[in-house]
Amino acid sequence: MAFMSDTRTNSGVDNISTFRKMFHWEVPGERFISIMTAGNLATTQSLISQLEERTKAPGERKPSILAAPTMFQVANIIGATLRETIVARALTGDEASLPNAPNFKASVILGGQIKGMEPRLYLIYPEGNFIEASPETPFFQIGETKYGRPILVRGFESQMSFADITKLLMVSFDSTLKANLSVGLPLDLMLYRNDEFAAFHERRITADDPYFESISEGWSEALRNAFHSLPNYELDA
Amino acid sequence: MAFMSDTRTNSGVDNISTFRKMFHWEVPGERFISIMTAGNLATTQSLISQLEERTKAPGERKPSILAAPTMFQVANIIGATLRETIVARALTGDEASLPNAPNFKASVILGGQIKGMEPRLYLIYPEGNFIEASPETPFFQIGETKYGRPILVRGFESQMSFADITKLLMVSFDSTLKANLSVGLPLDLMLYRNDEFAAFHERRITADDPYFESISEGWSEALRNAFHSLPNYELDA
């Protein structure tokens, strides 16, 4: 499994900050759980704090994601916590119908594996329900998804190496970075190999990362070449 | 100037129809006006009908786009008519704050030329105001813009031939078609050469168009080659 997230949050173009959106928990030899978040920052920070606190209080009423017996149960816990967090803040009545009413929604991509079971990948909605990836839908996106989607749709192949998947993720993020101010460097990358119960590769990709620079610059040139390799339109046809 | 639009309208995925979104008026040797629309179909059809009616009643209170002295005035007329049409239908009070309140908004891309003046290209907002293209912002998109934007941003060059621009528009639309059901074939293409006051090339591109097929299929292959031409990510770096 491969995970990539940006780090930009904004509340208007004049209020931009850098916050981590990728988090993970490891129990050596037993489980690996990774989360990426999109949406309202107060909601996602609260979600992560609640999940984190419970991992340190095993006797609590609500189960910890480190104690849940399956990834499905982990998704359930995260979904329920996410929904509670959003509902607790939701505006009601007149306040909610104001044209500029703030939106406290957030969504989550959850990936992980528990010993003895297959790795799992879920997309969790603000309502707390979720869907699971499958061979037909092998990846999920959350947040500002559209600009980067065409290259994922066309470039993804199920037998790709981790190096190729990383390259594809960088090309996809670069397309979004070039089009939309709400997505910004640095990027976080994490790679997970089945049955290792720990990330085997983690990296923060900053603006001066030489590999990312070579992808970002090389892609423009490569796209132009790809474009010119296509047959020309005949105006007289 | 080059114009391309799709023809899909939908009111939900189970109610999809084909309607033209590109319209133009020609006064031989004197003016050429082209419009593309996005948004609520009832609004855009009403807009086009009103503009069309006034071209046949020159004595009307409101000026015709064929009588306006400049493209700026044409944009003003279209903006005012668009805004009136939307405001006339807008819901008010409780109705407007319902979660599923219908949205009657629409926007317009206007391009054209009047004899003795430069060609002009405008993006007209639902509020009736508008912006003009410039060397720094040489193209506009309306509607479902995000999927097709990265290739326009990277592929567009100011000295492109009409054949290359057509190819670029097809690649961009194809990326959107592959990602989003709300955009659909056929596409309409129109090309305008300065000081001719008539479109010199018009074409409806249907699903069985051999050139579009060759672009759509060739682009997947060309993208894959472009992708593999980039340097590989080193996992041990």
Side-chain angles (χ1 to χ4, degrees), chain B residues 1-3 32-38 65 68-79 82 107-114 117-125 128-134 137-142:
Chain B
M1 278 191 292
F3 304 85
F32 170 81
I33 294 172
S34 170
I35 281 181
M36 294 188 295
T37 61
I65 53 174
T70 63
M71 282 303 296
F72 178 82
Q73 290 299 336
V74 172
N76 256 323
I77 292 170
I78 295 173
L82 176 62
S107 47
V108 166
I109 289 176
L110 160 69
Q113 187 180 16
I114 296 174
M117 288 172 271
E118 292 291 303
R120 303 279 185 184
L121 183 66
Y122 297 97
L123 169 57
I124 305 176
Y125 297 104
N129 57 348
F130 49 85
I131 57 174
E132 187 177 359
S134 66
T137 304
F139 63 84
F140 290 132
Q141 299 171 277
I142 51 175

Side-chain angles (χ1 to χ4, degrees), chain A residues 227-235, chain B residues 161 163-164 167 211 214-215:
Chain A
F227 180 71
H228 290 299
S229 78
L230 294 178
N232 287 321
Y233 184 68
E234 298 293 335
L235 282 170
Chain B
S161 69
D164 272 357
K167 182 159 72 167
Y211 180 71
S214 75
I215 292 295

Side-chain angles (χ1 to χ4, degrees), chain B residues 47-227:
Chain B
L47 170 71
I48 299 299
S49 296
Q50 292 174 74
L51 297 176
E52 180 68 22
E53 271 187 6
R54 285 191 224 148
T55 66
K56 285 156 191 165
E60 249 230 30
R61 182 176 55 89
K62 287 185 194 158
S64 154
I65 53 174
L66 299 187
T70 63
M71 282 303 296
F72 178 82
Q73 290 299 336
V74 172
N76 256 323
I77 292 170
I78 295 173
T81 310
L82 176 62
R83 180 167 167 75
E84 279 164 26
T85 308
I86 295 169
V87 168
R89 290 285 162 273
L91 302 176
T92 51
D94 285 353
E95 234 180 356
S97 59
L98 291 174
N100 295 318
N103 179 347
F104 299 113
K105 290 190 172 179
S107 47
V108 166
I109 289 176
L110 160 69
Q113 187 180 16
I114 296 174
K115 196 179 179 182
M117 288 172 271
E118 292 291 303
R120 303 279 185 184
L121 183 66
Y122 297 97
L123 169 57
I124 305 176
Y125 297 104
E127 292 75 14
N129 57 348
F130 49 85
I131 57 174
E132 187 177 359
S134 66
E136 297 84 23
T137 304
F139 63 84
F140 290 132
Q141 299 171 277
I142 51 175
E144 181 60 68
T145 60
K146 293 186 178 185
Y147 301 107
R149 189 166 181 81
I151 183 64
L152 290 181
V153 168
R154 280 190 135 123
F156 182 82
E157 295 167 72
S158 58
Q159 298 301 320
M160 280 180 124
S161 69
F162 278 114
D164 272 357
I165 282 176
T166 301
K167 182 159 72 167
L168 185 63
L169 286 171
M170 286 200 191
V171 170
S172 172
F173 266 93
D174 186 54
S175 296
T176 306
L177 290 168
K178 284 237 180 343
N180 194 301
L181 286 178
S182 74
V183 177
L185 292 168
L187 306 176
D188 284 316
L189 164 70
M190 186 167 55
L191 303 175
Y192 175 77
R193 214 152 26 204
N194 293 357
D195 303 323
E196 295 195 352
F197 307 106
F200 79 93
H201 186 81
E202 276 186 273
R203 172 121 156 229
R204 173 153 283 202
I205 297 138
T206 54
D208 58 358
D209 184 279
Y211 180 71
F212 185 74
E213 266 183 30
S214 75
I215 292 295
S216 181
E217 284 161 25
W219 187 238
S220 292
E221 179 72 17
L223 267 191
R224 260 193 298 276
N225 293 341
F227 180 71

Side-chain angles (χ1 to χ4, degrees), chain A residues 85-190:
Chain A
T85 308
I86 295 169
V87 168
R89 291 284 162 273
L91 302 175
T92 50
D94 285 355
E95 235 180 355
S97 59
L98 293 173
N100 294 318
N103 179 347
F104 299 112
K105 289 192 173 178
S107 47
V108 167
I109 289 176
L110 161 69
Q113 187 180 18
I114 296 175
K115 197 179 178 182
M117 287 172 270
E118 292 291 302
R120 303 279 186 184
L121 183 66
Y122 298 97
L123 169 57
I124 305 176
Y125 296 103
E127 292 75 15
N129 57 348
F130 47 85
I131 57 174
E132 187 177 358
S134 66
E136 298 82 25
T137 305
F139 64 83
F140 290 132
Q141 300 171 277
I142 51 176
E144 182 58 69
T145 60
K146 293 185 178 184
Y147 301 107
R149 188 166 181 81
I151 183 64
L152 289 181
V153 168
R154 281 188 133 127
F156 182 82
E157 294 168 72
S158 57
Q159 299 301 320
M160 282 180 123
S161 68
F162 278 114
D164 272 357
I165 282 175
T166 301
K167 182 160 74 167
L168 185 63
L169 286 170
M170 287 199 189
V171 170
S172 172
F173 266 93
D174 186 55
S175 296
T176 306
L177 290 168
K178 285 237 182 338
N180 194 299
L181 286 177
S182 74
V183 177
L185 292 168
L187 306 177
D188 285 317
L189 164 70
M190 186 166 56

